[in-house]
Amino acid sequence: MARPIARWGVFLSLGALWWWAVLRLALAPEAGALEAAVFTGGWGLSLLPVHCVPKARAVGAVDPRRWVEAWRAGRAVRGGPSTKASPRRRSDAGSAPS
């Protein structure tokens, strides 16, 4: 039980520190680099992707085994291209550069 209480205490303390920096930057003419650093750090933390899920549960994620199968299929064709793409065309195939 002590762990969640301590965690909430840390979160509330950091939130109060961030709001102190925001209000001091907005209202106090003598606010300086410390307040700006606290504000910027807290704002930067808000940009972290907190709604991430493991790749296996992500919608539309490609199974890693599919990539392995494609790699092995491409290596099985010896001497030929590993893709079905057309070869590059050269406009001046017969002339040499001058």
Side-chain angles (χ1 to χ4, degrees):
M1 188 63 153
R3 209 176 232 170
I5 293 172
R7 189 178 312 155
W8 274 103
V10 168
F11 290 151
L12 289 175
S13 299
L14 290 175
L17 178 68
W18 186 80
W19 276 108
W20 166 80
V22 169
L23 292 175
R24 188 146 161 85
L25 279 173
L27 302 175
E30 70 274 358
L34 175 66
E35 291 87 353
V38 170
F39 167 73
T40 306
W43 180 76
L45 285 175
S46 72
L47 298 177
L48 289 174
V50 295
H51 298 292
C52 295
V53 296
K55 189 174 180 180
R57 291 186 1 203
V59 176
V62 179
D63 187 18
R65 291 175 293 204
R66 184 172 163 198
W67 293 109
V68 172
E69 291 170 4
W71 178 259
R72 288 184 181 153
R75 291 182 64 191
V77 180
R78 302 211 186 251
S82 61
T83 65
K84 296 180 180 178
S86 302
R88 280 194 345 210
R89 296 183 185 180
R90 297 183 182 188
S91 58
D92 296 329
S95 65
S98 52

